Amino acid sequence: MDVLTATDFPNLFVIFAGRTTPNPSELLGNKYFKMLLESARETFDIAIVDTPPVSSVIDAAMVASIVDCVVLIIKHVSIN
């Protein structure tokens, strides 16, 4: 995958979102995003897809429909 960026942590890679698009749902719903996820499944043990909050845009719901598992953060609490 040419889009992978290595990090300072061994075996941890990132794919950055890139430029903002006027209609992200078109990108998330197309066959190329699904092919990217399938390639990640074959290449890595775990792939994490971060999305905007569920209530703000449709992106999270679209991604949730094609990934294997969803983790929903209900409330952020700072521990000091």
Side-chain angles (χ1 to χ4, degrees):
M1 283 198 226
D2 295 338
V3 296
L4 291 176
T5 301
T7 67
D8 292 336
F9 298 94
N11 300 316
L12 179 65
F13 301 90
V14 177
I15 298 176
F16 292 102
R19 295 176 294 170
T20 303
T21 179
N23 193 354
S25 61
E26 285 182 9
L27 294 175
L28 297 173
N30 74 30
K31 67 180 181 179
Y32 298 109
F33 183 67
K34 292 175 184 169
M35 289 170 55
L36 174 69
L37 290 179
E38 188 57 38
S39 178
R41 282 184 182 103
E42 294 171 0
T43 307
F44 301 103
D45 294 329
I46 298 172
I48 298 171
V49 180
D50 185 28
T51 66
V54 175
S55 61
S56 62
V57 289
I58 191 75
D59 301 12
M62 292 185 72
V63 170
S65 71
I66 55 177
V67 296
D68 297 328
C69 182
V70 174
V71 176
L72 184 61
I73 306 299
I74 304 298
K75 182 178 179 181
H76 172 268
V77 178
S78 293
I79 299 174
N80 293 328

